[in-house]
Amino acid sequence: MSQKERQRYHLLKMVIGGKITLKETDSLMGVSYRQAKRLKKKLISEGARGLIHGNRGRPSPRALSHELAETILNLSLTTYTNFNDTHFTEKLREIEGITVGRDTVRRLRRTNGIKPKRKRRAQKHHKRRPRKSQEGIMVLWDGSPHRWFGKDTPPCCLMAAIDDATGKLCEAFFIPYECSFGYLKLLQSIVNTYGIPASIYQDRHSTLHRNDDNWTLEEQLAGEQEPTQVGGALKSLGITPIFALTPQAKGRVERLFGVLQDRLIAEMGLRNITEMAVANTFLADHFIADYNRRFAIDPEVSQPAWRKVPRNVDIERIISFRYQAVVGNDNTVRLGGMVIDIPEGPYKRGYAKAKVEVRQLLNGSWRVYYKNTLIAHTDPTPLKEPIRARPRKKSRARAASEEQWIYMISAARGDIFTKQLRGHID
């Protein structure tokens, strides 16, 4: 008997013994006068057992059958080993046609010794930053190096970007490692799909933030360092970069990777996906839409804040690798051992000794601009991560004051990088 039933038994015994009236006990027992009379009759006829509910001790008609419980446990230990409780419950409903509650699955797993996928520990206190009110005001992006295809495969990097107001996964794809190309590709996809965001929240990775103490004379006069390749693209598009000082400051994108390391790995394991190209196709065709359907929320203000790309803006040129060069006397531009021939201009004009801007697009092709006029272009070549270096000069004073982006010398890593990216670029 419960304590409530013991109290009712005590009160009703007093009624039967004439020490209190039944009218006085109904309010004390929390029942109506009619129900109090019914309980008194059951106590007289059946004794104390009459005050206990008849269904107590009986199995629930909604309880899982032994066969169904065995089926769920078998699936949990075989096909869905890498799935957490909620994810496993979803797959039971979507694929196996078994509709059960998440708490039921959790209780069944724990009772049979199946531990939770991730250990929980007390969180440190961090002040919550309110979400932005409109979609497109702030995008958070980052790269997550991890063994995404299992312990027996080498690690790679998942690049991902989410909207701060809605938590929508804007873009995600795998590349060999975190680099400028990954962030430029993210930016290109976001701009082409949604528009230009007002700001981007990011960490201080060397591809995003200048972490060196080298200041050229021109930078000292301007009062700021020349941005990175990614920073230059953001600046050209008018996007405000916001740099986080701690991982907790960009907690929403960090939590995103926690969810992806849980759900995405399990989904790819279910489909036997072990290659980046196949994984990128799965992300684009299925996973991103499914993630947004489950986790994206409505913004406080329904009107989005994405800015349309102006018609006169060449996105391919802005979101690319940029280099400064001087045309040689033979009307060629040389970068890292590569030679770009400059054809003659209007009226058979030559460009010898002219300062030009060289751009390598994300598809690997090259363009050469002179005063915003395209004067040459080439076929694609391997993508290589650019570095900043001081060009060799006869005058040391001049060399110390000049620093520029140069085409990366490490051809070996660049070629491997290009081969691994080829499927994604194409």
Side-chain angles (χ1 to χ4, degrees):
M1 296 181 71
S2 66
Q3 292 300 322
K4 179 187 288 187
E5 290 164 344
R6 290 179 181 274
Q7 178 71 0
R8 289 180 178 178
Y9 175 78
H10 174 70
L11 293 172
L12 290 174
K13 289 292 288 183
M14 292 177 66
V15 171
I16 295 173
K19 297 179 181 179
I20 191 174
T21 64
L22 188 63
K23 184 66 176 175
E24 295 174 322
T25 61
D26 57 2
S27 59
L28 296 175
M29 291 190 294
V31 296
S32 65
Y33 179 75
R34 180 179 178 183
Q35 178 68 1
K37 286 179 65 177
R38 175 177 170 274
L39 292 174
K40 177 184 176 183
K41 290 181 179 179
K42 294 195 71 174
L43 178 61
I44 295 173
S45 61
E46 302 178 22
R49 185 179 296 274
L51 301 181
I52 301 175
H53 197 283
N55 287 334
R56 181 168 302 172
R58 298 178 182 176
S60 170
R62 300 178 61 184
L64 289 180
S65 64
H66 179 72
E67 294 77 10
L68 182 57
E70 288 294 327
T71 300
I72 293 174
L73 282 174
N74 183 54
L75 290 171
S76 177
L77 293 170
T78 55
T79 309
Y80 302 99
T81 306
N82 294 327
F83 286 63
N84 64 35
D85 298 334
T86 303
H87 202 181
F88 178 44
T89 304
E90 293 170 359
K91 292 304 168 185
L92 286 176
R93 181 178 63 255
E94 296 171 1
I95 298 178
E96 307 298 336
I98 301 174
T99 303
V100 291
R102 181 257 184 191
D103 290 338
T104 301
V105 170
R106 178 182 179 278
R107 184 169 56 254
L108 185 62
R109 282 179 142 190
R110 299 299 172 273
T111 303
N112 289 272
I114 302 177
K115 296 181 180 180
K117 186 175 180 180
R118 289 189 295 168
K119 293 182 179 180
R120 305 289 180 178
R121 61 181 180 181
Q123 296 290 329
K124 294 183 179 180
H125 180 268
H126 295 283
K127 185 178 180 181
R128 180 180 177 275
R129 177 180 60 79
R131 291 181 181 270
K132 299 300 181 183
S133 59
Q134 292 175 272
E135 180 181 346
I137 290 183
M138 177 186 287
V139 168
L140 299 91
W141 66 12
D142 201 1
S144 177
H146 187 69
R147 293 186 182 274
W148 290 96
F149 303 107
K151 296 180 181 179
D152 299 330
T153 59
C156 60
C157 184
L158 176 64
M159 306 295 299
I162 61 170
D163 177 72
D164 184 71
T166 62
K168 178 191 295 183
L169 182 56
C170 300
E171 179 61 290
F173 54 80
F174 290 101
I175 58 174
Y177 55 91
E178 190 173 0
C179 59
S180 299
F181 169 82
Y183 286 105
L184 290 174
K185 193 69 178 177
L186 271 180
L187 181 61
Q188 184 186 64
S189 177
I190 292 170
V191 170
N192 289 337
T193 305
Y194 301 98
I196 303 173
S199 63
I200 289 184
Y201 209 85
Q202 55 195 357
D203 59 21
R204 291 176 172 260
H205 191 274
S206 58
T207 60
L208 304 171
H209 184 269
R210 285 281 302 277
N211 297 315
D212 59 273
D213 296 328
N214 299 323
W215 287 72
T216 66
L217 180 60
E218 291 77 9
E219 290 173 340
Q220 292 178 32
L221 293 174
E224 61 179 358
Q225 287 181 309
E226 183 184 352
T228 63
Q229 295 280 353
V230 180
L234 297 180
K235 184 176 181 180
S236 298
L237 292 173
I239 301 173
T240 302
I242 303 174
F243 296 99
L245 297 176
T246 63
Q248 291 80 12
K250 52 185 181 68
R252 290 193 176 99
V253 73
E254 294 290 343
R255 286 192 295 274
L256 166 70
F257 286 121
V259 174
L260 296 182
Q261 288 179 13
D262 186 351
R263 285 177 166 260
L264 179 56
I265 291 176
E267 292 280 2
M268 292 192 299
L270 187 64
R271 294 166 173 80
N272 297 319
I273 297 176
T274 58
E275 298 179 357
M276 282 195 294
V278 180
N280 287 334
T281 301
F282 170 66
L283 279 167
D285 295 345
H286 175 77
F287 186 84
I288 293 178
D290 183 67
Y291 177 92
N292 290 335
R293 179 176 61 83
R294 296 181 188 278
F295 298 111
I297 63 174
D298 294 330
E300 183 180 340
V301 179
S302 59
Q303 179 66 32
W306 303 103
R307 181 161 50 90
K308 293 184 178 180
V309 180
R311 293 184 178 179
N312 60 341
V313 172
D314 186 353
I315 289 296
E316 285 191 333
R317 177 184 176 183
I318 291 177
I319 306 178
S320 63
F321 295 99
R322 69 191 188 282
Y323 305 94
Q324 299 297 323
V326 177
V327 181
N329 291 331
D330 56 351
N331 280 284
T332 61
V333 172
R334 288 175 167 79
L335 287 171
M338 183 186 62
V339 180
I340 302 176
D341 290 312
I342 309 296
E344 62 181 23
Y347 307 104
K348 298 184 178 181
R349 173 183 178 178
Y351 294 94
K353 299 187 183 300
K355 292 183 178 181
V356 294
E357 179 187 77
V358 185
R359 292 272 184 170
Q360 186 180 25
L361 307 186
L362 299 187
N363 62 5
S365 63
W366 292 85
R367 294 181 185 177
V368 181
Y369 292 90
Y370 174 70
K371 295 183 178 180
N372 289 326
T373 300
L374 180 64
I375 61 174
H377 58 86
T378 70
D379 294 331
T381 63
L383 285 161
K384 301 176 184 178
E385 185 76 4
I387 61 173
R388 289 190 65 82
R390 295 170 182 161
R392 295 179 179 177
K393 299 287 184 180
K394 293 182 180 180
S395 172
R396 292 186 178 179
R398 187 177 182 184
S401 65
E402 293 187 1
E403 192 180 51
Q404 63 183 20
W405 288 105
I406 65 170
Y407 200 44
M408 190 173 180
I409 301 172
S410 178
R413 188 180 183 187
D415 292 342
I416 294 173
F417 180 62
T418 302
K419 289 178 183 178
Q420 292 175 312
L421 286 176
R422 192 175 300 281
H424 181 74
I425 296 173
D426 295 341

